[in-house]
Amino acid sequence: MSDVADRVKKIVVEHLGVEEDKVAENASFIDDLGADSLDTVELVMAFEEEFGIEIPDDAAETIQTFGDAVKFISEAS
Amino acid sequence: MFDLTGKNALITGASGGIGGDIARALYDAGASVGLSGTRVEPLQALADSLGERAYVLPCNLSDSESVEALPKKAAEAMGSVDILVNNAGITRDNLFMRMSDEEWQSVIDVNMTATMKLCKGVIRGMMKARWGRIVNISSVVAAIGNPGQANYAASKAGMIGFSKALAHEVATRGITVNAVAPGFITTAMTEKLTEEQKKGLLLKVPAGRMGDPQEIAAAVLYLASPEAGYVTGSTLHVNGGMAML
């Protein structure tokens, strides 16, 4: 697994308090990992900080799954 | 009674009577205070009279760039913004039939839109800190209306609805959002009234007197305190019984 994926997974595990093996490629933050809408905003904030990038609101809305996040961040950073 | 040691508060309209007393109350409780307003001189005088935990942060709330820069300036000066008091407000009174779009818009911009923008600017830090206090200074006229103040009443009622919606969204993060609705308070804004007008107004106030700015500051201090952590989305009416809500 790439370094980006590891770091994203760590943030997700810490923030949502889920088991690491639950955070699969296609795991939806809201449907599978129990996030509420505010959690998704906070995850995006945490990603921005960890990777030193800006994630605009319209892009943030497209980040629904763990895989989406890894893909977006890999391309942006 | 309330201890705000280590907390940083941003207060708009701090050059006014109520804002100045709010700043003093929070300062005396141990907070650092960012004093915002359009006129630097009274802000500086207030900062000097308070002490080293007071910072002067001039801002024109009708200028949207200036508004957006304020939370950053405050966080740079104090380290964070844990408490935001949206106290600044303007009036452009006119009978509704004569009220211009400009009179309407300027009041909405400063009283409501600037409040929203400042909340947006501080909420991220509060979310991360899992602690925050937002106190929006509304008015009794938000609840009961006042002739000649359609714009002002709309803006102040808007602040209350806004506070409630935001309170819902951030409650799980230890952030409270409340409003304080002053009645007739002795300030420069009410100094403009004639003796006769004041007498007429006081007939509607069971307490039979105007309120003191310190009585508003005390309400803000309570809502800003850790002790008020379970109070959110509420409006604290401080009006001598003029409107019992």
mmCIF file of all heavy atoms in Angstrom, chain B residues 134-169:
data_model
loop_
_atom_site.group_PDB
_atom_site.id
_atom_site.type_symbol
_atom_site.label_atom_id
_atom_site.label_comp_id
_atom_site.label_asym_id
_atom_site.label_seq_id
_atom_site.Cartn_x
_atom_site.Cartn_y
_atom_site.Cartn_z
ATOM 1 N N ILE B 134 -19.786 31.016 20.639
ATOM 2 C CA ILE B 134 -20.172 32.128 19.775
ATOM 3 C C ILE B 134 -21.377 32.799 20.424
ATOM 4 O O ILE B 134 -22.352 32.125 20.784
ATOM 5 C CB ILE B 134 -20.505 31.637 18.352
ATOM 6 C CG1 ILE B 134 -19.230 31.084 17.689
ATOM 7 C CG2 ILE B 134 -21.093 32.777 17.515
ATOM 8 C CD1 ILE B 134 -19.455 30.432 16.337
ATOM 9 N N VAL B 135 -21.279 34.087 20.618
ATOM 10 C CA VAL B 135 -22.390 34.842 21.194
ATOM 11 C C VAL B 135 -22.738 35.970 20.228
ATOM 12 O O VAL B 135 -21.899 36.835 19.934
ATOM 13 C CB VAL B 135 -22.032 35.427 22.581
ATOM 14 C CG1 VAL B 135 -23.256 36.136 23.173
ATOM 15 C CG2 VAL B 135 -21.545 34.334 23.531
ATOM 16 N N ASN B 136 -23.951 35.921 19.706
ATOM 17 C CA ASN B 136 -24.387 36.943 18.762
ATOM 18 C C ASN B 136 -25.314 37.926 19.465
ATOM 19 O O ASN B 136 -26.291 37.521 20.101
ATOM 20 C CB ASN B 136 -25.104 36.288 17.581
ATOM 21 C CG ASN B 136 -24.150 35.453 16.747
ATOM 22 O OD1 ASN B 136 -22.995 35.822 16.562
ATOM 23 N ND2 ASN B 136 -24.615 34.320 16.258
ATOM 24 N N ILE B 137 -24.969 39.192 19.366
ATOM 25 C CA ILE B 137 -25.793 40.193 20.044
ATOM 26 C C ILE B 137 -26.926 40.605 19.116
ATOM 27 O O ILE B 137 -26.719 41.273 18.101
ATOM 28 C CB ILE B 137 -24.954 41.431 20.456
ATOM 29 C CG1 ILE B 137 -23.723 41.003 21.277
ATOM 30 C CG2 ILE B 137 -25.841 42.392 21.258
ATOM 31 C CD1 ILE B 137 -24.015 40.239 22.557
ATOM 32 N N SER B 138 -28.119 40.178 19.479
ATOM 33 C CA SER B 138 -29.316 40.481 18.705
ATOM 34 C C SER B 138 -29.987 41.715 19.319
ATOM 35 O O SER B 138 -29.302 42.650 19.741
ATOM 36 C CB SER B 138 -30.230 39.250 18.701
ATOM 37 O OG SER B 138 -31.392 39.490 17.972
ATOM 38 N N SER B 139 -31.284 41.704 19.401
ATOM 39 C CA SER B 139 -32.001 42.850 19.969
ATOM 40 C C SER B 139 -33.425 42.431 20.306
ATOM 41 O O SER B 139 -33.973 41.508 19.682
ATOM 42 C CB SER B 139 -32.043 43.995 18.961
ATOM 43 O OG SER B 139 -33.003 44.954 19.368
ATOM 44 N N VAL B 140 -34.017 43.138 21.247
ATOM 45 C CA VAL B 140 -35.422 42.875 21.575
ATOM 46 C C VAL B 140 -36.312 43.101 20.351
ATOM 47 O O VAL B 140 -37.334 42.456 20.193
ATOM 48 C CB VAL B 140 -35.880 43.740 22.778
ATOM 49 C CG1 VAL B 140 -35.890 45.232 22.428
ATOM 50 C CG2 VAL B 140 -37.257 43.313 23.266
ATOM 51 N N VAL B 141 -35.903 43.997 19.455
ATOM 52 C CA VAL B 141 -36.752 44.276 18.294
ATOM 53 C C VAL B 141 -36.809 43.096 17.320
ATOM 54 O O VAL B 141 -37.704 43.024 16.478
ATOM 55 C CB VAL B 141 -36.360 45.569 17.545
ATOM 56 C CG1 VAL B 141 -36.260 46.746 18.493
ATOM 57 C CG2 VAL B 141 -35.100 45.404 16.734
ATOM 58 N N ALA B 142 -35.868 42.150 17.463
ATOM 59 C CA ALA B 142 -35.940 40.927 16.653
ATOM 60 C C ALA B 142 -37.215 40.173 16.992
ATOM 61 O O ALA B 142 -37.810 39.514 16.147
ATOM 62 C CB ALA B 142 -34.725 40.042 16.922
ATOM 63 N N ALA B 143 -37.612 40.264 18.248
ATOM 64 C CA ALA B 143 -38.781 39.511 18.711
ATOM 65 C C ALA B 143 -40.069 40.303 18.606
ATOM 66 O O ALA B 143 -41.122 39.735 18.333
ATOM 67 C CB ALA B 143 -38.560 39.069 20.166
ATOM 68 N N ILE B 144 -39.994 41.612 18.833
ATOM 69 C CA ILE B 144 -41.259 42.370 18.907
ATOM 70 C C ILE B 144 -41.389 43.444 17.837
ATOM 71 O O ILE B 144 -42.424 44.091 17.741
ATOM 72 C CB ILE B 144 -41.448 43.004 20.310
ATOM 73 C CG1 ILE B 144 -40.349 44.044 20.592
ATOM 74 C CG2 ILE B 144 -41.473 41.928 21.388
ATOM 75 C CD1 ILE B 144 -40.592 44.837 21.856
ATOM 76 N N GLY B 145 -40.349 43.645 17.027
ATOM 77 C CA GLY B 145 -40.434 44.652 15.977
ATOM 78 C C GLY B 145 -40.350 46.066 16.522
ATOM 79 O O GLY B 145 -40.405 46.286 17.732
ATOM 80 N N ASN B 146 -40.181 47.008 15.625
ATOM 81 C CA ASN B 146 -40.118 48.413 16.022
ATOM 82 C C ASN B 146 -40.349 49.257 14.774
ATOM 83 O O ASN B 146 -39.702 49.010 13.755
ATOM 84 C CB ASN B 146 -38.736 48.729 16.614
ATOM 85 C CG ASN B 146 -38.742 49.996 17.454
ATOM 86 O OD1 ASN B 146 -39.777 50.380 17.973
ATOM 87 N ND2 ASN B 146 -37.600 50.629 17.572
ATOM 88 N N PRO B 147 -41.253 50.225 14.837
ATOM 89 C CA PRO B 147 -41.476 51.023 13.631
ATOM 90 C C PRO B 147 -40.209 51.751 13.201
ATOM 91 O O PRO B 147 -39.467 52.254 14.044
ATOM 92 C CB PRO B 147 -42.580 52.006 14.047
ATOM 93 C CG PRO B 147 -42.629 51.965 15.531
ATOM 94 C CD PRO B 147 -42.139 50.619 15.942
ATOM 95 N N GLY B 148 -39.978 51.804 11.938
ATOM 96 C CA GLY B 148 -38.782 52.491 11.427
ATOM 97 C C GLY B 148 -37.557 51.608 11.367
ATOM 98 O O GLY B 148 -36.489 52.043 10.936
ATOM 99 N N GLN B 149 -37.703 50.362 11.828
ATOM 100 C CA GLN B 149 -36.523 49.486 11.887
ATOM 101 C C GLN B 149 -36.752 48.151 11.190
ATOM 102 O O GLN B 149 -36.291 47.112 11.664
ATOM 103 C CB GLN B 149 -36.115 49.260 13.348
ATOM 104 C CG GLN B 149 -35.595 50.530 14.027
ATOM 105 C CD GLN B 149 -34.817 50.214 15.281
ATOM 106 O OE1 GLN B 149 -35.281 49.476 16.131
ATOM 107 N NE2 GLN B 149 -33.616 50.778 15.399
ATOM 108 N N ALA B 150 -37.438 48.165 10.075
ATOM 109 C CA ALA B 150 -37.687 46.907 9.359
ATOM 110 C C ALA B 150 -36.366 46.220 9.013
ATOM 111 O O ALA B 150 -36.225 45.000 9.162
ATOM 112 C CB ALA B 150 -38.490 47.170 8.085
ATOM 113 N N ASN B 151 -35.405 47.013 8.581
ATOM 114 C CA ASN B 151 -34.101 46.444 8.225
ATOM 115 C C ASN B 151 -33.366 45.910 9.458
ATOM 116 O O ASN B 151 -32.866 44.784 9.474
ATOM 117 C CB ASN B 151 -33.249 47.470 7.459
ATOM 118 C CG ASN B 151 -33.180 48.824 8.159
ATOM 119 O OD1 ASN B 151 -33.735 49.023 9.248
ATOM 120 N ND2 ASN B 151 -32.497 49.768 7.513
ATOM 121 N N TYR B 152 -33.334 46.700 10.503
ATOM 122 C CA TYR B 152 -32.625 46.322 11.726
ATOM 123 C C TYR B 152 -33.284 45.095 12.378
ATOM 124 O O TYR B 152 -32.597 44.137 12.756
ATOM 125 C CB TYR B 152 -32.635 47.507 12.693
ATOM 126 C CG TYR B 152 -31.816 47.335 13.937
ATOM 127 C CD1 TYR B 152 -30.425 47.401 13.893
ATOM 128 C CD2 TYR B 152 -32.422 47.113 15.175
ATOM 129 C CE1 TYR B 152 -29.664 47.256 15.046
ATOM 130 C CE2 TYR B 152 -31.680 46.963 16.328
ATOM 131 C CZ TYR B 152 -30.302 47.043 16.262
ATOM 132 O OH TYR B 152 -29.553 46.892 17.401
ATOM 133 N N ALA B 153 -34.620 45.126 12.455
ATOM 134 C CA ALA B 153 -35.340 44.004 13.075
ATOM 135 C C ALA B 153 -35.118 42.720 12.277
ATOM 136 O O ALA B 153 -34.898 41.652 12.853
ATOM 137 C CB ALA B 153 -36.833 44.312 13.169
ATOM 138 N N ALA B 154 -35.144 42.841 10.945
ATOM 139 C CA ALA B 154 -34.906 41.659 10.101
ATOM 140 C C ALA B 154 -33.506 41.117 10.331
ATOM 141 O O ALA B 154 -33.304 39.909 10.475
ATOM 142 C CB ALA B 154 -35.104 42.015 8.630
ATOM 143 N N SER B 155 -32.528 42.017 10.398
ATOM 144 C CA SER B 155 -31.142 41.558 10.557
ATOM 145 C C SER B 155 -30.945 40.891 11.918
ATOM 146 O O SER B 155 -30.240 39.893 12.041
ATOM 147 C CB SER B 155 -30.161 42.719 10.385
ATOM 148 O OG SER B 155 -30.200 43.593 11.500
ATOM 149 N N LYS B 156 -31.565 41.449 12.944
ATOM 150 C CA LYS B 156 -31.377 40.912 14.299
ATOM 151 C C LYS B 156 -32.139 39.592 14.486
ATOM 152 O O LYS B 156 -31.683 38.705 15.211
ATOM 153 C CB LYS B 156 -31.804 41.954 15.337
ATOM 154 C CG LYS B 156 -30.889 43.178 15.374
ATOM 155 C CD LYS B 156 -29.495 42.785 15.817
ATOM 156 C CE LYS B 156 -28.529 43.943 15.861
ATOM 157 N NZ LYS B 156 -27.187 43.512 16.320
ATOM 158 N N ALA B 157 -33.313 39.487 13.841
ATOM 159 C CA ALA B 157 -34.039 38.218 13.878
ATOM 160 C C ALA B 157 -33.274 37.178 13.066
ATOM 161 O O ALA B 157 -33.217 36.001 13.441
ATOM 162 C CB ALA B 157 -35.450 38.394 13.332
ATOM 163 N N GLY B 158 -32.673 37.626 11.972
ATOM 164 C CA GLY B 158 -31.861 36.726 11.153
ATOM 165 C C GLY B 158 -30.710 36.143 11.949
ATOM 166 O O GLY B 158 -30.376 34.966 11.820
ATOM 167 N N MET B 159 -30.106 36.956 12.796
ATOM 168 C CA MET B 159 -28.988 36.472 13.616
ATOM 169 C C MET B 159 -29.446 35.335 14.529
ATOM 170 O O MET B 159 -28.703 34.386 14.778
ATOM 171 C CB MET B 159 -28.431 37.601 14.493
ATOM 172 C CG MET B 159 -27.608 38.623 13.743
ATOM 173 S SD MET B 159 -27.175 39.994 14.827
ATOM 174 C CE MET B 159 -25.629 39.402 15.509
ATOM 175 N N ILE B 160 -30.666 35.439 15.027
ATOM 176 C CA ILE B 160 -31.165 34.408 15.945
ATOM 177 C C ILE B 160 -31.400 33.094 15.201
ATOM 178 O O ILE B 160 -30.957 32.029 15.642
ATOM 179 C CB ILE B 160 -32.451 34.889 16.660
ATOM 180 C CG1 ILE B 160 -32.106 36.030 17.621
ATOM 181 C CG2 ILE B 160 -33.116 33.729 17.408
ATOM 182 C CD1 ILE B 160 -33.299 36.629 18.347
ATOM 183 N N GLY B 161 -32.041 33.166 14.042
ATOM 184 C CA GLY B 161 -32.259 31.952 13.259
ATOM 185 C C GLY B 161 -30.948 31.325 12.839
ATOM 186 O O GLY B 161 -30.766 30.100 12.903
ATOM 187 N N PHE B 162 -30.025 32.184 12.446
ATOM 188 C CA PHE B 162 -28.693 31.721 12.059
ATOM 189 C C PHE B 162 -28.010 31.009 13.238
ATOM 190 O O PHE B 162 -27.439 29.925 13.074
ATOM 191 C CB PHE B 162 -27.858 32.929 11.592
ATOM 192 C CG PHE B 162 -26.397 32.628 11.449
ATOM 193 C CD1 PHE B 162 -25.919 31.950 10.338
ATOM 194 C CD2 PHE B 162 -25.497 33.017 12.428
ATOM 195 C CE1 PHE B 162 -24.569 31.660 10.216
ATOM 196 C CE2 PHE B 162 -24.147 32.741 12.305
ATOM 197 C CZ PHE B 162 -23.680 32.055 11.199
ATOM 198 N N SER B 163 -28.080 31.619 14.398
ATOM 199 C CA SER B 163 -27.441 31.034 15.587
ATOM 200 C C SER B 163 -27.987 29.643 15.872
ATOM 201 O O SER B 163 -27.231 28.721 16.200
ATOM 202 C CB SER B 163 -27.692 31.904 16.827
ATOM 203 O OG SER B 163 -27.212 33.199 16.633
ATOM 204 N N LYS B 164 -29.296 29.494 15.740
ATOM 205 C CA LYS B 164 -29.917 28.199 16.044
ATOM 206 C C LYS B 164 -29.472 27.128 15.049
ATOM 207 O O LYS B 164 -29.172 25.998 15.434
ATOM 208 C CB LYS B 164 -31.440 28.331 16.022
ATOM 209 C CG LYS B 164 -31.976 29.167 17.175
ATOM 210 C CD LYS B 164 -33.482 29.284 17.105
ATOM 211 C CE LYS B 164 -33.993 30.168 18.240
ATOM 212 N NZ LYS B 164 -35.454 30.313 18.209
ATOM 213 N N ALA B 165 -29.435 27.492 13.773
ATOM 214 C CA ALA B 165 -29.034 26.513 12.756
ATOM 215 C C ALA B 165 -27.588 26.082 12.978
ATOM 216 O O ALA B 165 -27.261 24.892 12.950
ATOM 217 C CB ALA B 165 -29.202 27.111 11.357
ATOM 218 N N LEU B 166 -26.726 27.065 13.234
ATOM 219 C CA LEU B 166 -25.316 26.747 13.456
ATOM 220 C C LEU B 166 -25.144 25.940 14.750
ATOM 221 O O LEU B 166 -24.341 25.004 14.805
ATOM 222 C CB LEU B 166 -24.497 28.042 13.494
ATOM 223 C CG LEU B 166 -22.991 27.896 13.684
ATOM 224 C CD1 LEU B 166 -22.384 26.984 12.623
ATOM 225 C CD2 LEU B 166 -22.315 29.266 13.644
ATOM 226 N N ALA B 167 -25.931 26.292 15.757
ATOM 227 C CA ALA B 167 -25.864 25.582 17.041
ATOM 228 C C ALA B 167 -26.130 24.085 16.839
ATOM 229 O O ALA B 167 -25.442 23.239 17.405
ATOM 230 C CB ALA B 167 -26.863 26.168 18.033
ATOM 231 N N HIS B 168 -27.117 23.786 16.002
ATOM 232 C CA HIS B 168 -27.411 22.388 15.668
ATOM 233 C C HIS B 168 -26.191 21.695 15.083
ATOM 234 O O HIS B 168 -25.858 20.574 15.450
ATOM 235 C CB HIS B 168 -28.520 22.334 14.598
ATOM 236 C CG HIS B 168 -29.893 22.213 15.153
ATOM 237 N ND1 HIS B 168 -30.356 21.053 15.716
ATOM 238 C CD2 HIS B 168 -30.916 23.094 15.220
ATOM 239 C CE1 HIS B 168 -31.618 21.234 16.113
ATOM 240 N NE2 HIS B 168 -31.974 22.475 15.824
ATOM 241 N N GLU B 169 -25.561 22.369 14.133
ATOM 242 C CA GLU B 169 -24.497 21.713 13.370
ATOM 243 C C GLU B 169 -23.254 21.410 14.195
ATOM 244 O O GLU B 169 -22.571 20.429 13.937
ATOM 245 C CB GLU B 169 -24.100 22.589 12.161
ATOM 246 C CG GLU B 169 -25.176 22.641 11.091
ATOM 247 C CD GLU B 169 -24.685 23.318 9.818
ATOM 248 O OE1 GLU B 169 -23.459 23.385 9.597
ATOM 249 O OE2 GLU B 169 -25.538 23.800 9.047
#
